Amino acid sequence: MTRIAFIGLGNMGGGMAANQAKAGHAVAAFDLSAAALEKARAAGCTPAASVAEAVADAEAVITMLPAGPHVRQVYGEQVLAAAPRSALLIDCSTIDVDSARAVAAQAKAAGFRFADAPVSGGTAAADAGALAFMVGCDEADFGAVEAVIQPMARVVFRAGDHGAGQAAKICNNMLLGISMIGTCEAIALAEKLGLDPARFFEISAQSSGQCWSLTSYCPWPGPVPAAPSNRGYEGGFATAMMLKDLKLAQEAAAKAGAATPMGAQAEGLYALFERMGGGGRDFSAILQMLRGNPQG
Ligand code: NAD
């Protein structure tokens, strides 16, 4: 049994904290939302009154917060001041690479071990303990990080040093955003040309256009029953979240001097879809915008 402090019990963190409790760990949980805290209590965690109370005797601290500023604030102003130096700090939020490296440096200077460990898989995988983790940490710390993450994970990769987990996450999601738009354009064109999109799916799934966006997450309802396209694009991975990751990728590309013209196009198209009211819908619903019916 490990004493774990879990900060950030939202759509993702709620399920992740529950899986730590289910694995037999003592989970002290904190969130600004009283409803999230109550849900965590029902899942076997012990609600704390503050970050400081949650981390006070933690062996590991896990955070799952919205964005970079939250992570900088929670670590900079709360966790580093209140957690024991021996605690292993693991941030699973998706944030900018610079914030991840800045927090890692601050934590290291204060004598802590720190890892950025963003995840891929969405809320269903968070609930099922089946997330993919991309970890940036000192090589010597990876074994300990992997052991703490294990109840929440299907697979754990060490991407490299601090910040490399976030780099892997935004590069992966930029590729996903681009491939989803390409898949949607091809389906919309097939339809316009009088080809049944379901028949196009069967052909392309066995041809060189095959990709995850098509065969595991098909934006056209029918061919992949588990895909959000079959439930009115509810649940899944929200357009607003995809847009956030595409923005992070563009910021990182600009700073690094990398050419990412397709990533920039994808960001622009998802920003447009969000402005048309698609922000809360699954990101595969961008098919409907390309078909000329954004609410479809
Ligand atoms: P969410 O908004 O549902 O949850 C964030 C939680 O953090 C909220 O409950 C909020 O109250 C809490 N919070 C904010 N500031 C806090 C503070 N100072 N102290 C304590 N709690 C605080 O978001 P989510 O969907 O759970 O996503 C969390 C992170 O995971 C994001 O970085 C997101 O990009 C990433 N992510 C999300 C998905 C997904 O499908 N939702 C998939 C992969 C990664």
Side-chain angles (χ1 to χ4, degrees):
M1 190 207 61
T2 305
R3 290 188 306 280
I4 294 175
F6 206 112
I7 318 294
L9 308 162
N11 293 327
M12 296 292 290
M16 292 162 71
N19 281 317
Q20 292 289 2
K22 210 184 289 172
H25 300 304
V27 182
F30 179 72
D31 195 291
L32 298 175
S33 151
L37 274 177
E38 267 322 299
K39 238 173 139 181
R41 185 200 301 275
C45 304
T46 305
S50 64
V51 170
E53 186 183 306
V55 305
D57 68 347
E59 295 168 280
V61 176
I62 302 175
T63 46
M64 193 52 165
L65 297 162
H70 306 85
V71 174
R72 284 182 186 255
Q73 193 230 330
V74 165
Y75 280 96
E77 295 173 19
Q78 296 167 298
V79 174
L80 300 185
R85 295 282 176 278
S86 53
L88 177 59
L89 312 180
I90 304 174
D91 176 44
C92 299
S93 328
T94 300
I95 65 171
D96 58 290
V97 175
D98 285 353
S99 289
R101 290 193 175 136
V103 173
Q106 216 184 339
K108 214 169 175 180
F112 289 93
R113 294 165 295 155
F114 178 88
D116 50 291
V119 305
S120 175
T123 51
D127 292 345
L131 293 164
F133 282 79
M134 308 161 201
V135 180
C137 68
D138 286 345
E139 200 162 7
D141 297 336
F142 181 63
V145 173
E146 198 178 15
V148 172
I149 282 173
Q150 195 273 327
M152 310 181 288
R154 174 176 54 81
V155 61
V156 185
F157 295 100
R158 180 173 177 268
D161 293 332
H162 296 121
Q166 298 295 349
K169 168 73 183 173
I170 60 173
C171 291
N172 178 75
N173 279 23
M174 184 180 79
L175 177 56
L176 175 62
I178 293 168
S179 84
M180 179 54 78
I181 292 169
T183 299
C184 292
E185 283 188 5
I187 289 173
L189 176 61
E191 187 187 19
K192 279 268 185 217
L193 297 176
L195 170 61
D196 176 5
R199 190 70 186 136
F200 169 68
F201 170 90
E202 288 167 3
I203 294 165
S204 203
Q206 301 287 333
S207 303
S208 49
Q210 188 278 333
C211 65
W212 187 90
S213 293
L214 180 71
T215 52
S216 294
Y217 212 87
C218 186
W220 183 264
V224 178
S229 54
N230 298 291
R231 2 178 245 274
Y233 304 98
E234 292 301 320
F237 183 43
T239 288
M241 288 281 188
M242 172 53 85
L243 183 56
K244 172 193 154 190
D245 293 354
L246 289 168
K247 283 187 171 141
L248 290 177
Q250 287 309 296
E251 282 164 25
K255 279 192 186 142
T260 54
M262 298 291 284
Q265 285 281 345
E267 185 202 344
L269 286 164
Y270 274 109
L272 183 61
F273 186 42
E274 187 185 54
R275 278 198 295 278
M276 289 178 169
R281 307 184 78 194
D282 181 74
F283 79 117
S284 64
I286 201 165
L287 170 67
Q288 302 303 342
M289 183 182 88
L290 295 170
R291 292 176 76 230
N293 180 17
Q295 321 300 334

